[in-house]
Amino acid sequence: NAGVTQTPKFQVLKTGQSMTLQCAQDMNHNSMYWYRQDPGMGLRLIYYSASEGTTDKGEVPNGYNVSRLNKREFSLRLESAAPSQTSVYFCASSGEGQKNIQYFGAGTRLSVL
Amino acid sequence: GNSVTQMEGPVTLSEEAFLTINCTYTATGYPSLFWYVQYPGEGLQLLLKATKADDKGSNKGFEATYRKETTSFHLEKGSVQVSDSAVYFCAHLDSSYKLIFGSGTRLLVRP
C-alpha cells in the first residue's frame, strides 16, 4: 500500500518555464489537496478537490492550476514559474469515512531560478 | 478568521528531558485538533488528534489535551529521544474539512 505518491521529488526550473507536479493515491479517497511549505509559514493550501470532477481554490491559488484527472490523481501545474514559487509542495488525501485525517506524500522540492 | 499559533523553535533538549510545545487556535465552534510530525526529508504524518473538548490524544508517548476554555492543544512528552527530532505542526480542521496549520516547531534532541 503506497499511500500518496508524488513525482518528481526534486525539480529545478528557470523563470517562465512550465511544469506539472503529479500526485496519486491508492486509498480510494474522495478528497485531495495541494499545499506549499515555506520556512516559518507552515503549510498553506493551494487548491483542493472534494471529489472527482471538482476543484476549489485554497489560500494561495495564484500562479497555479490543478486537474483532478480521476479519483486517484490530482496534478498541480505551474504555467509560468516564478522565483516566488520556490517551495516544497505536498499533496494529501482524505477519505469519506475519515474526513478529518489527511495523508501526505513525501513532497516535491521545487527551485525556480 | 481561523488560525493556529504555536511556539517558535527550535526547541533544543537533552535526551530524556520533558517536552512541551504550546499551541493555541482561533476558530468558530469546536473544531477537531491535530498534531502532525515531519521527520527530515519526509511528508507530514498524523501524530495524534482530539475531536471534542477535554479529549486527550496520545501516541508514541506524546499527549495533548483539547482545552476549550483556553483554546489550546499543547503537545507534551515525558522523556524525549533523539529519534523524536523533527518538526511538529499543530492544526485544526475548519468547517469545510480543510486543515489550518501553525508555522511548525522544530525539535532537536541531543544525546
Side-chain angles (χ1 to χ4, degrees), chain A residues 33 35 37 40-43 45 48 90 99-107, chain B residues 32 34 36 38 41-44 46 49 51 89 93 97-99 101-103:
Chain A
Y33 311 83
Y35 294 90
Q37 182 182 28
M41 301 188 73
L43 276 74
L45 184 65
Y48 68 102
F90 288 99
K99 284 184 178 180
N100 59 357
I101 298 178
Q102 293 186 17
Y103 297 84
F104 285 79
Chain B
S32 294
F34 306 86
Y36 278 82
Q38 183 181 29
E42 298 183 11
L44 278 70
L46 178 66
K49 68 182 178 77
T51 56
F89 292 91
L93 203 68
Y97 296 101
K98 298 192 294 293
L99 281 171
F101 285 94
S103 57

Side-chain angles (χ1 to χ4, degrees), chain B residues 77-97:
Chain B
K77 186 174 186 182
S79 176
V80 293
Q81 306 300 311
V82 172
S83 58
D84 293 327
S85 297
V87 181
Y88 293 82
F89 292 91
C90 185
H92 77 73
L93 203 68
D94 73 9
S95 56
S96 302
Y97 296 101

Side-chain angles (χ1 to χ4, degrees), chain A residues 3-24:
Chain A
V4 179
T5 304
Q6 292 183 235
T7 56
K9 294 189 185 304
F10 303 95
Q11 184 71 47
V12 178
L13 294 177
K14 295 181 179 179
T15 297
Q17 287 185 317
S18 62
M19 80 160 296
T20 300
L21 281 64
Q22 306 288 352
C23 175

Side-chain angles (χ1 to χ4, degrees), chain A residues 24-39:
Chain A
Q25 52 89 11
D26 61 3
M27 296 175 282
N28 201 35
H29 285 169
N30 285 329
S31 301
M32 298 185 73
Y33 311 83
W34 275 106
Y35 294 90
R36 60 178 288 173
Q37 182 182 28
D38 301 295

Side-chain angles (χ1 to χ4, degrees), chain B residues 59-76:
Chain B
N59 186 25
K60 299 181 181 180
F62 291 89
E63 293 183 340
T65 301
Y66 192 141
R67 303 285 189 198
K68 68 175 183 178
E69 304 85 3
T70 54
T71 60
S72 65
F73 193 53
H74 305 321
L75 183 68
E76 297 182 334

